[in-house]
Each structure stands twice: as structure tokens, then as C-alpha cells.
Amino acid sequence: MKNPKININLKKLIANTKEVVNLAAEEGIEVVGVTKSVCANLEVAKALLKGGVVGLADSRINNLAYLRENLKLDQVPLMLLRIPMLSEIEQVVKYADVSLNSELGIIRALDEFAKEYEVIHEIILMVDVGDRREGVMPDDVMQVVEEVLQLDNIKLIGLGTNLACFGGVLPSDENMKVLVELKERINNELDQKLKIISGGNSSSLPRLKERGLPPEVNQLRVGETILLGRNVINREPFPNTFQDTFLLEAEIIELKEKPAQPKGKIGQNAFGEEEIITKSGVRKRGILAVGRQDIVLKGLAPVARGVKIESASSDHLIVDLTDYRKNITVGDSLKFELNYAALLRAMTSPYVNIDII
Ligand SMILES: *Cc1c(COP(=O)(O)O)cnc(C)c1O
């Protein structure tokens, strides 16, 4: 496989999935596997399913269409995570079994197309319990639900919320209670039993582990902790998971001893930043054939000791190899762990190949 590439270790991915799925199952919670950061890669999707997720979720309808057409598994429920665009409603009805929603106008449009396609489209109504990204404000939920219940081809299956995305708000007793109480009110006042409370994303897993989620929460939508084995609240390793499920491999195209200090009058670099270089003396410097088109600079961590990332341009990653003790030469490659942002960029870059191991 040509460089640069992402090595995906499916065994480790399945193991991570099983760990999260089993933890959740102990609390009566189902896990929906999130594929948006891997551009709905088919092998990853299959590994998540092997690990026991009950369905797959993605924020892009194109990715769900791709999964629907290529998975050859009609029974796997597909969920659209990003609240739909009015201009994509037809595809949403076609490719998503369930979508997350917060706008009545959009839900009505979904109903129209669902009628046309003679299907029932399921929705989870998102509630903003504090993070201030998507969601109906709690005070408005009852009124919206009343309207939604009038629609023949929309089935409201639950309430959901998203946390730790915009405001960085963590799951708490208070914000989870908002969902639970709304579910009860919908039951008591509107005589509708909702089957799902979709309580959040990876950020709910630390609380889950401490058995701190209310029993009514019965679904989580999980990407990062499964894919990268991280506790997303502090980015520490999540217990009993692997962090090296995805490794970026990039090839050395130049290796030379160079003075650490640039020579000449200093201005901004190509990205409008002014590099302040504190190192001095002669350093062993490598250039790797991968750049900001493919990775996020701050999201890479070298696997080998003695490799230090210096900087990156669109197409070059510059590393200091002075402290690298092994033999290395042009044409060799180096490996890096990725954070969520770097994984997202790499998996969506058309220049990065994918190697399943
Ligand atoms: C991205 C996303 C998730 C998954 O988030 P992770 O932190 O990767 O677990 C869940 N729900 C929604 C609505 C999302 O957009």
C-alpha cells in the first residue's frame, strides 16, 4: 500500500467496541457506533457491528447512503446525527432509518417525503440541556412534541441530547434529569411512551463507568472512545481499550543535518504564523511526505521515541530526529498515533491510503 497511509487494526477496534458495548449493556444501555470521523469506512463499520453496536450513525447523509448501499445488511439501523438540511430531506428519508431533529419545519418536510415514499421515518427530538449546540430548549419541548405527534409518517421514538461538543458541558445529574422529566411529562400529559433516551456521546462513558447515568438513559452514540480508546473528558486512555487502533504512516523524503535556526529575515510562514525557533546548533531533520491537507499538526504523536514533530506545511511534515537512536534513511517511514481531529482529516483526505491489518 502506498504512503501515506492509515493502518487500521480491526482486532483492536473490535476489542474496543466490545469493551464499550459490554460496559453499556451492564447498565441496560445500547450503543450506536459513530462512523463520521472515519468517513464511514466499510471495514470500520463492520468491525463496530462485530463488536456489538446496535446500529451505525453518521453526520453526513452521503456516508449513510454509502453504508446502506455497501454494507448489504438491510437490518442494520442507520441514524443521521447532524440535524438535516431542508435541501437533503429526500435522501434522509431514503437512507436514514432515524434522524436527530430540532426544527419543526424540517420534521414536517420529513413527514411529506415519508408519505411520498410510504415509509415511517423515525426521529429523536434533540433537547438542549446546556451545551448550546443543537436542540429544542426544554421549555419548548412539550409544544413541539404535540405538533410532531400530529404527523402521520413521523414516529417520535425518543428524546436525545448532545454534550461536550460546543460548550464542553459534561453530563450531570441535573442535565440528565431534564430529559428524564420531559419523557415522563410526555407520557403523562400526551400519553406517548417514548422508548429511547439517547443520553449523549463518548463524554457520557466516564459517568456510565461510575454508574452515574439515570436508569432511563438507554442509548449512547459513541465514536471517539471506541475508535481511539480515549476518555474524551481528559483524553486519558479509557480503561481496557487500545489507543493505537489507527496509525498514520508517512515516508521520509529528505533527511539531513541542518542548522536549527533559519537564516535570513523572518516573516510569516505559509499559514500566517510566525514560528519562533528556540533550538540552536545542528539538528538531524527529516521531511515526511504528508501535510496539513492530510493531518492536523497538533493531533499527531510519534510512536517511536526520539522523534519530535517540528512543523508542517500543506504537504510536508518536518521532524527532528536528532534523538532518534535507530538507523533511518530516506524511503523509510515513521508511525504516528492520531487524535480525533487528525483522524478525521486523514480519513477524509483523498491522498491518504487505508491499510487494514
Ligand atoms: C459526533 C457525534 C456523536 C459521537 O461523538 P463522540 O464524541 O465521537 O462519541 C454523537 N452524537 C452526535 C449528535 C454527534 O454529532
Side-chain angles (χ1 to χ4, degrees):
M1 186 69 68
K2 279 199 233 152
N3 287 323
K5 62 187 173 224
I6 293 268
N7 298 317
I8 307 179
N9 187 315
L10 291 183
K11 276 210 185 89
K12 289 183 178 178
L13 194 53
I14 294 169
N16 282 7
T17 313
K18 283 187 174 156
E19 176 64 22
V20 170
V21 165
N22 290 341
L23 270 180
E26 282 172 27
E27 302 293 298
I29 294 176
E30 61 178 34
V31 176
V32 180
V34 174
T35 57
K36 70 184 181 206
S37 61
V38 295
C39 203
N41 178 276
L42 215 51
E43 297 302 322
V44 172
K46 286 181 189 160
L48 298 182
L49 290 167
K50 263 198 195 130
V53 300
V54 297
L56 296 170
D58 204 289
S59 46
R60 306 287 171 136
I61 197 66
N62 310 44
N63 285 353
L64 291 188
Y66 172 79
L67 287 174
R68 178 63 82 218
E69 275 157 18
N70 292 282
L71 263 182
K72 312 270 183 248
L73 295 167
D74 276 344
Q75 66 276 28
V76 176
L78 298 182
M79 173 190 280
L80 182 66
L81 289 175
R82 186 174 65 189
I83 48 175
M85 291 187 269
L86 202 49
S87 57
E88 67 180 1
I89 297 299
E90 184 166 4
Q91 289 97 300
V92 175
V93 168
K94 258 172 99 171
Y95 298 115
D97 300 289
V98 47
S99 58
L100 308 183
N101 282 276
S102 67
E103 288 285 350
L104 201 49
I106 305 250
I107 300 169
R108 289 202 175 109
L110 284 167
D111 182 55
E112 292 293 310
F113 273 105
K115 269 197 194 83
E116 208 167 287
Y117 280 85
E118 296 176 347
V119 294
I120 301 292
H121 184 74
E122 297 188 332
I123 68 164
I124 290 176
L125 188 71
M126 296 301 274
V127 182
D128 181 354
V129 297
D131 198 50
R132 305 290 177 252
R133 204 179 74 178
E134 74 273 49
V136 177
M137 295 305 288
D139 284 348
D140 301 330
V141 167
M142 293 308 289
Q143 197 195 336
V144 173
V145 169
E146 253 182 273
E147 300 275 346
V148 170
L149 293 177
Q150 310 294 320
L151 305 172
D152 293 333
N153 289 57
I154 295 292
K155 184 167 170 69
L156 176 67
I157 61 168
L159 298 178
T161 198
N162 200 54
L163 290 162
C165 266
F166 173 69
V169 171
L170 301 180
S172 65
D173 288 340
E174 296 75 51
N175 57 34
M176 287 295 110
K177 215 171 106 192
V178 173
L179 287 182
V180 172
E181 284 179 358
L182 282 167
K183 183 189 164 182
E184 277 165 14
R185 277 190 69 190
I186 292 167
N187 188 19
N188 298 340
E189 294 171 29
L190 302 173
D191 196 25
Q192 268 306 302
K193 273 209 171 11
L194 300 184
K195 64 177 187 203
I196 287 172
I197 290 195
S198 193
N201 50 33
S202 291
S203 67
S204 294
L205 292 171
R207 267 185 96 78
L208 169 83
K209 215 167 159 44
E210 296 156 13
R211 303 183 184 273
L213 291 178
E216 289 86 354
V217 171
N218 57 5
Q219 180 187 84
L220 294 176
R221 312 170 304 268
V222 181
E224 182 169 350
T225 299
I226 289 178
L227 300 170
L228 295 174
R230 295 274 165 194
N231 172 335
V232 301
I233 289 168
N234 53 18
R235 295 287 168 337
E236 296 279 320
F238 194 80
N240 306 319
T241 61
F242 298 99
Q243 287 73 51
D244 56 353
T245 39
F246 296 82
L247 289 178
L248 174 82
E249 208 173 321
E251 186 173 323
I252 301 180
I253 52 176
E254 184 187 293
L255 190 63
K256 293 187 193 306
E257 307 269 328
K258 288 195 181 183
Q261 284 295 325
K263 185 175 172 213
K265 200 161 172 285
I266 306 291
Q268 289 185 343
N269 70 14
F271 292 90
E273 305 151 347
E274 237 165 277
E275 295 273 349
I276 297 162
I277 296 162
T278 51
K279 279 184 187 159
S280 60
V282 173
R283 311 289 301 180
K284 186 171 179 183
R285 291 270 303 271
I287 299 178
L288 304 179
V290 72
R292 296 197 201 203
Q293 298 195 68
D294 320 295
I295 48 99
V296 173
L297 180 57
K298 296 226 155 50
L300 294 185
V303 172
R305 286 163 67 108
V307 178
K308 175 143 189 324
I309 296 172
E310 292 288 323
S311 186
S313 61
S314 322
D315 308 289
H316 306 77
L317 181 69
I318 298 160
V319 292
D320 187 317
L321 295 168
T322 313
D323 300 327
Y324 185 72
R325 292 289 162 230
K326 293 191 192 135
N327 281 334
I328 191 157
T329 159
V330 167
D332 287 349
S333 57
L334 288 171
K335 289 185 178 156
F336 300 85
E337 283 187 14
L338 306 108
N339 75 2
Y340 190 78
L343 178 69
L344 181 75
R345 180 84 56 89
M347 292 296 291
T348 48
S349 166
Y351 309 106
V352 176
N353 297 300
I354 289 167
D355 203 8
I356 304 290
I357 56 174

